[in-house]
Amino acid sequence: MNAMLNRLARRILLLLGRGRVMTANDSGPVQLVQVQINDLETIDGLRRLAEFGFTSMLPRDTDVAIAFLGGDRSNGVVVASNHQPSRPRGLKAGETMIYTQDGKQIYLTASGGIVVKANGQPVEIDGATTVTINAATKIRAVTPRLECTGDIIDNCDTQTSTLAELREAHDGHDHQVINVQTGGSTITTSPPNLIE
């Protein structure tokens, strides 16, 4: 009876473990991780589970928690991970952040703001048919240059002229000068005529 209880106790003790990632393989349907448990034990091919809609590639030396199904050391699953050097600190209760090892962040703050930190790298939106920004006050771009490859229309709900069309009309307009007299008179011109 004692031998059976000892085996059961050992199985229970072996249900959970922790280790440190040595390498990972992200090429298949499930990410596989090689984990060093201690100086004498390294397990290869551990499956790593993550929440639907979120994925990441664990860097070397990431701490992981492992569940060994039935206490079997050959049948483990990585259920949690933490990379100490790159984990942001100081978040307030209720805040969330998506982050990378090199410092990029999407930060959902407790005050209701969203901060995207690109860490000096490009930000790109691909494949969108329409991008709509609903800003109650204004949209401000702090940049030395703003470029657009297509047409720009201001007051788009009430008019259809593009800035290119307005610029062409401006460049082609003239001003009537009336009551011109010889001598030293000064004349103020009338409003411009658009060239149709």
Side-chain angles (χ1 to χ4, degrees), residues 5-17 68 70-71:
L5 286 176
N6 285 340
R7 282 197 304 273
L8 179 61
R10 181 159 172 74
R11 275 281 174 98
I12 291 171
L13 289 173
L14 293 175
L15 283 175
L16 297 175
F68 294 101

Side-chain angles (χ1 to χ4, degrees), residues 178-193:
I178 57 175
N179 300 324
V180 176
Q181 300 175 9
T182 59
S185 62
T186 301
I187 303 292
T188 301
T189 64
S190 302
N193 299 316

